Amino acid sequence: MTGGHDGIHASLRDAEPSVFWLDTSASPEPRDPISACTETDLLIVGGGFTGLWAALQAKERDPDRDVVLVEADTIAAHATGRNGGFCDASITHGLHNAVAHFPKEAKRLVELGRENFAAIETAIDRYSIDAAFDHSGGLSVAYEPWQLRELESGIALEREHGETVELLDRDAMQSLVHSPTYIGGVRTAEGVATLDPARLAWGLADVAESLGVRIFERTRIDSLEPMANAVVAETRRNRIRARKVVLGTNALSHLVGATRRRVVPVWDYVLVTEPLTEAQLASIGWRGREGIGDAANQFHYYRLTPDNRILWGGYDAIYFRGGDISDARFQRMETFDLLARHFFATFPQLDGLQFTHRWGGVIDTSSRFCVTFGTAHDRRVSYAVGYTGLGVAATRFGARVALDLVDDPTSDLLRLEFVRSRPFPFPPEPLRNVVIQMTRRAIANADNNEGRRGPWLRLLDAFGVGFDS
Ligand SMILES: Cc1cc2nc3c(=O)[nH]c(=O)nc-3n(C[C@H](O)[C@H](O)[C@H](O)COP(=O)(O)OP(=O)(O)OC[C@H]3O[C@@H](n4cnc5c(N)ncnc54)[C@H](O)[C@@H]3O)c2cc1C
């Protein structure tokens, strides 16, 4: 039985330390690094979703402006190519988070999220991007009575905000997806899709390039210096003089001081199985191919890939002291073992299934779990960071606001409290590590104690801050 210690190890034995989405013959050759100094109207730093959506929207707004996008590594090499591919309409890490932090604006933020989600679907169609976009809907599953109670109590709020949600009892839940652990759930019909994130990113890069964006990969910006009417971005050998700059750098570098205080790099880990046979698929149902997340604080997210593998990730969200983002953290066997154990507890009927891929990636966590914005150098530089694990769709909106910040001071979006206000900063190290580890332990304790939040989490709640993935 794979559930045993040896079986878990066996299931991971042949798993490659590589990212499923990036491990494909469709991977494009990286573009050349920058090889000479240049000038541009708009410099975009980061070739993840934030940077790519910024490049595309900048050209859609003004086809004549010159745009340069630089990426330190390769397009989609980080969170953008490593995620679960859940495309959720929420731009605020969920409705409940919007209501907790921006109660007066929650309705508007939900609308903006829906608009943004529709615009993503339209762009994929319009530019014929082969991103395996599947508007499948989502399932939140409960495996403990307290989780079901929480799901149930959230339904009214969701309906009030126009969400198409349906509460499922044990039988209804089991009829959709068969796991002995499920005792109920909630199905969300609209505004949740699954997609192939790397193909989306590569497609966006090609489209941006076809519209005239100059893209340089393997080109890191080391610093930004303000100059008269411009900002100069320094690479190791060259300089880019830009009238405006948009940063979509996640928590991977901090070219302006504010991002260092507002986001911390948190590692999230993922497994992918070999493709399921027809019989294995039939044993779990899942005909609707919904994206699934469980309702614990430390949650798993899982989905079918287009070739019928299961992608299974989450649960552990690890902050390493000092904000370590080195490649050495890309693999964490302790977490892979735990994820595999949970996988076979959820789907014991898949005993013997092998994992083929295992990887980790960095999430930019902010203390209120959603994107935060700001400007520097006399409003010539803007940034959008802090999506905290729900950025596949929100990055398009983040990019839109980051562009407005340098382009269009009259934009309505800039008046939103969501955009104007800033999350509580994280304290500097070594206190940062102490506080985050304490919070992680408190979250695990809450999950083991029927969701009851202890004094530390209640204190953080009172200040509207926390830690999540
Ligand atoms: C394992 C994992 C699973 C996730 N699952 C989901 C999910 O299912 N659904 C969801 O909505 N969200 C998910 N997320 C979050 C989502 O992937 C991110 O929010 C989103 O991709 C962020 O995009 P980004 O462009 O802001 O950051 P990134 O994709 O990290 O891109 C930032 C880029 O900037 C580049 N860069 C940084 N500094 C510099 C510099 N100085 N010079 C040049 N380039 C620089 C980096 O090399 C990097 O490529 C997940 C994240 C992870 C890690």
Side-chain angles (χ1 to χ4, degrees):
M1 171 82 182
T2 310
H5 200 64
D6 291 346
I8 298 297
H9 279 299
S11 73
L12 286 164
R13 193 181 42 219
D14 298 327
E16 293 287 332
S18 70
V19 181
F20 170 69
W21 306 115
L22 302 174
D23 178 21
T24 150
S25 54
S27 297
E29 276 297 304
R31 294 164 179 84
D32 289 338
I34 200 165
S35 58
C37 295
T38 190
E39 264 189 47
T40 186
D41 297 324
L42 175 66
L43 169 67
I44 295 168
V45 186
F49 282 139
T50 301
L52 293 165
W53 282 117
L56 179 57
Q57 292 179 92
K59 275 292 188 183
E60 286 176 338
R61 285 180 189 189
D62 177 1
D64 295 331
R65 98 167 104 183
D66 186 69
V67 179
V68 167
L69 183 149
V70 292
E71 163 54 49
D73 204 323
T74 52
I75 296 295
H78 293 277
T80 289
R82 299 186 189 191
N83 60 64
F86 284 62
C87 181
D88 189 303
S90 175
I91 52 175
T92 55
H93 205 267
L95 170 64
H96 295 269
N97 198 42
V99 172
H101 292 289
F102 315 103
K104 292 195 192 116
E105 286 175 355
K107 285 219 160 84
R108 172 95 177 107
L109 296 175
V110 170
E111 271 166 32
L112 285 167
R114 289 199 185 116
E115 234 175 83
N116 182 60
F117 182 86
I120 290 173
E121 212 175 342
T122 305
I124 288 173
D125 276 354
R126 175 170 174 210
Y127 297 115
S128 307
I129 299 175
D130 172 20
F133 186 93
D134 178 1
H135 200 158
S136 53
L139 292 168
S140 294
V141 300
Y143 54 85
E144 301 268 4
W146 67 268
Q147 297 167 359
L148 194 55
R149 285 195 298 275
E150 287 201 354
L151 286 178
E152 232 169 309
S153 71
I155 285 260
L157 184 77
E158 283 163 25
R159 294 210 170 118
E160 204 184 298
H161 287 80
E163 302 283 9
T164 41
V165 283
E166 180 192 357
L167 189 65
L168 307 167
D169 63 12
R170 182 191 296 260
D171 288 348
M173 186 61 234
Q174 292 284 348
S175 73
L176 294 180
V177 186
H178 319 321
S179 164
T181 61
Y182 296 165
I183 60 166
V186 165
R187 178 162 194 275
T188 306
E190 298 294 327
V192 187
T194 55
L195 52 73
D196 177 331
R199 282 176 189 259
L200 175 56
W202 295 330
L204 289 172
D206 288 346
V207 174
E209 200 168 45
S210 74
L211 297 177
V213 176
R214 294 185 282 149
I215 301 181
F216 300 101
E217 298 185 54
R218 294 164 292 166
T219 301
R220 169 175 293 280
I221 301 298
D222 294 324
S223 65
L224 295 176
E225 297 299 333
M227 302 267 283
N229 303 324
V231 171
V232 170
E234 299 267 0
T235 71
R236 197 180 325 156
R237 292 202 188 84
N238 296 292
R239 312 176 104 202
I240 306 170
R241 187 186 157 92
R243 272 167 278 288
K244 308 275 173 65
V245 181
V246 165
L247 303 177
T249 47
N250 190 318
L252 300 171
S253 74
H254 299 286
L255 292 167
V256 297
T259 63
R260 191 183 300 282
R261 296 186 291 277
R262 307 288 172 189
V263 290
V264 294
V266 170
W267 284 85
D268 191 35
Y269 292 93
V270 185
L271 294 174
V272 162
T273 70
E274 61 188 324
L276 272 62
T277 63
E278 271 307 315
Q280 286 168 329
L281 262 182
S283 77
I284 50 173
W286 211 350
R287 294 289 170 204
R289 308 182 72 85
E290 298 88 348
I292 303 182
D294 56 57
N297 293 302
Q298 283 186 289
F299 62 96
H300 307 90
Y301 52 86
Y302 41 111
R303 56 163 290 186
L304 290 164
T305 62
D307 61 348
N308 289 334
R309 300 160 187 268
I310 297 176
L311 177 150
W312 177 270
Y315 194 78
D316 267 352
I318 313 270
Y319 176 78
F320 295 102
R321 190 175 344 153
D324 188 356
I325 52 167
S326 64
D327 288 348
R329 303 300 188 184
F330 178 65
Q331 295 292 303
R332 189 169 193 265
M333 286 321 293
E334 210 179 320
T335 295
F336 296 135
D337 279 354
L338 192 67
L339 283 172
R341 191 139 36 88
H342 294 168
F343 177 89
F344 288 110
T346 305
F347 295 127
Q349 62 273 51
L350 297 179
D351 184 25
L353 195 69
Q354 297 285 315
F355 294 102
T356 56
H357 295 77
R358 50 180 159 93
W359 73 88
V362 170
I363 280 172
D364 44 351
T365 294
S366 84
S367 65
R368 63 183 186 198
F369 321 139
C370 51
V371 57
T372 180
F373 306 96
T375 59
H377 302 316
D378 207 14
R379 296 183 73 90
R380 291 186 177 278
V381 178
S382 68
Y383 60 84
V385 294
Y387 304 95
T388 319
L390 204 66
V392 167
T395 39
R396 184 187 171 282
F397 180 81
R400 181 179 163 196
V401 171
L403 279 177
D404 282 354
L405 282 166
V406 290
D407 265 2
D408 179 10
T410 65
S411 158
D412 272 359
L413 298 180
L414 304 189
R415 286 203 284 276
L416 290 168
E417 197 196 332
F418 174 55
V419 171
R420 280 187 299 109
S421 64
R422 307 276 174 271
F424 207 76
F426 290 92
E429 293 283 15
L431 189 58
R432 177 175 289 199
N433 185 50
V434 173
V435 169
I436 292 177
Q437 305 309 350
M438 221 167 115
T439 310
R440 284 192 63 226
R441 274 194 300 277
I443 290 169
N445 287 342
D447 277 340
N448 293 329
N449 194 16
E450 304 203 325
R452 277 194 283 275
R453 298 170 80 72
W456 175 243
L457 291 185
R458 289 204 304 275
L459 179 71
L460 295 183
D461 290 346
F463 282 96
V465 298
F467 182 77
D468 205 340
S469 62

